Amino acid sequence: MKIRFIYPRFEKLVESRAELASLAEIKGVGNFRMPPALGIPILAALTPEDIKIELFDENIEPINYNEDADVIAVSFFTPQAEYAYSVAKKFKAKGKTVIAGGMHPTVIPEEAAEYFDSVCIGEAEEIWLTILSDIKNKMLKKYYYGGYPDLSTLPIPRRNIFKNKSGYEWDGTLVQVSRGCANNCEGCIIPVESGKEYRFRSVQNVIKDIETIGSMDFFFTDDPLVLPNQQCKKYLLQLLEETKKLQPKPRIFLSGSLNISIEKEYLNNLYEGGVVCLYIVFGCDPFSINAFRPGGHKFFNWSLDIVKRIQDSGIHVFTSFGLGFDYQDKSVFDLSLEFAGKANIKTAEFYILTPFPKTPSWFRFIKENRILHYNWSKYNSANVVFKPKNFTDMELLEGYLYCWKEFYKNRLIDSSIDIFKP
Ligand code: SF4
């Protein structure tokens, strides 16, 4: 049997907004291509050796529809959904068995089921072998439910499935260490997709994974890692105790929000463990919710202080400012730029709130009849797909473009952090 994994194309920020394309500096941040997340390499690692596997990443190469594989497995998130359905239709017309998995089929499986022979809902690790066996025995079911596997059994992802592919512009390798989050932030899909309990890989397993990568630049993909609760803090510090021993010294990219511990000792531990950059998403945490609402001066200054403390510990801060939340009004555009200026931010992104299916904002906007359309390709955080509260949709879009242009006016990307460089 041969399986062809497919990662369908999706519209990048600059593709969505041609008016930003001429700003080459922006292109470096908002439009780069990186390998897909780890779902496909993990399934590749679980696939028995007698089954041949290959990948088409449509973001860097065209799909060959004259494929000799028996099974086409398509992994996709919301902005890829329409392309994914067209891919499934074409392969089905050629008699192939097509299977869907990933974030979007997990949250709207009934939609994916219209186009695919079978839909894998949730995390596939514990059901992948069953799916393969059912294909062999011609007993494929319409739905498979993955649940929330114990991460201690995760295999080392087979990242060599990306081998020999040119076109990726960012080689910071992704390393997954946890799943799930106990919080319930407005626009976040993580608790919806991966549950409300934190699950962690063993530290030894993560280190073993890092040692197979062949590079010491990597990105821990999990936003909850830097949350200030005891579980996340304890785990991250244990992990960094081990990364600290790696040679050469690693350069780790972490992501999170302003909801982070700012004790000096904690931040020093992050730095000593190899963290060079923290990607901070503004919009959902209690600090940025209060700092970017009209009259939130006290929180604005506290938020500046959080960023300064992180920078003072030697960690570069890359910010992603969220625009369009109900607690914001038109002042948010200048406030975001003022914040970036005062915090001496060198690398920033701006995103428009997007009600991804089954997130809290999705349910609220449906109830309030505020979803403008379900054109999934536009659900990429560069388009207004809902009716904002304190702006018109055009004001929100123009404010978003204004922020990008103003921030990058006369500015070059900070070349001292080459983890960002294409
Ligand atoms: S935004 Fe972060 S803290 Fe909030 S639910 Fe998502 S992962 Fe958890």
Side-chain angles (χ1 to χ4, degrees), residues 180-186 188-191 198 223-224 227 256-257 259 284:
C181 182
N183 291 344
N184 196 29
C185 297
E186 175 150 39
C188 184
I189 191 76
I190 290 175
Y198 301 108
D223 288 12
L227 285 172
S257 70
N259 192 11
C284 289

Side-chain angles (χ1 to χ4, degrees), residues 293-329:
R293 66 166 86 239
H297 308 295
K298 188 171 72 180
F299 283 89
F300 189 88
N301 290 332
W302 283 355
S303 302
L304 279 173
D305 184 54
I306 295 171
V307 170
K308 183 165 184 324
R309 286 177 195 234
I310 298 166
Q311 291 166 327
D312 285 349
S313 69
I315 297 171
H316 179 84
V317 171
F318 177 174
T319 47
S320 179
F321 292 98
L323 307 171
F325 290 82
D326 283 1
Y327 62 83
Q328 299 170 344
D329 68 10

Side-chain angles (χ1 to χ4, degrees), residues 38-221:
L38 292 167
I40 292 173
I42 289 174
L43 293 189
L46 290 166
T47 305
E49 277 178 14
D50 60 329
I51 297 178
K52 202 171 166 209
I53 50 171
E54 277 173 334
L55 164 73
F56 277 136
D57 178 351
E58 202 190 3
N59 295 281
I60 57 161
E61 64 192 326
I63 293 174
N64 174 9
Y65 286 95
N66 296 318
E67 171 60 56
D68 64 351
D70 316 278
V71 178
I72 307 294
V74 187
S75 173
F76 56 100
F77 72 129
T78 300
Q80 296 166 295
E82 282 152 3
Y83 295 110
Y85 299 149
S86 68
V87 169
K89 268 194 204 163
K90 286 183 196 164
F91 276 116
K92 269 190 92 161
K94 288 181 174 284
K96 308 290 183 189
T97 299
V98 290
I99 304 177
M103 206 176 273
H104 192 81
T106 290
V107 291
I108 317 191
E110 61 285 0
E111 181 186 272
E114 288 176 31
Y115 303 89
F116 287 84
D117 295 307
S118 183
V119 180
C120 177
I121 302 166
E123 300 170 23
E125 288 85 358
E126 288 184 349
I127 47 173
W128 182 236
L129 292 182
T130 307
I131 295 174
L132 295 180
S133 152
D134 287 356
I135 292 169
K136 265 188 189 163
N137 297 321
K138 303 201 180 313
M139 291 171 58
L140 190 66
K141 299 181 188 65
K142 195 70 191 177
Y143 296 106
Y144 289 86
Y145 299 89
Y148 303 131
D150 174 358
L151 298 196
S152 64
T153 57
L154 271 198
I156 305 292
R158 257 184 69 185
R159 295 185 183 83
N160 66 1
I161 198 162
F162 304 130
K163 208 175 66 182
N164 300 330
K165 296 207 179 288
S166 58
Y168 293 126
E169 295 168 332
W170 194 61
D171 53 10
T173 307
L174 307 184
V175 178
Q176 187 175 51
V177 298
S178 77
R179 291 187 191 161
C181 182
N183 291 344
N184 196 29
C185 297
E186 175 150 39
C188 184
I189 191 76
I190 290 175
V192 183
E193 193 198 19
S194 305
K196 290 185 140 303
E197 279 182 23
Y198 301 108
R199 286 170 291 143
F200 299 100
R201 274 171 91 186
S202 76
V203 168
Q204 293 73 15
N205 192 247
V206 175
I207 298 296
K208 204 168 137 200
D209 189 0
I210 291 167
E211 286 170 346
T212 65
I213 292 173
S215 155
M216 280 296 150
D217 284 0
F218 50 87
F219 179 8
F220 288 142
T221 56

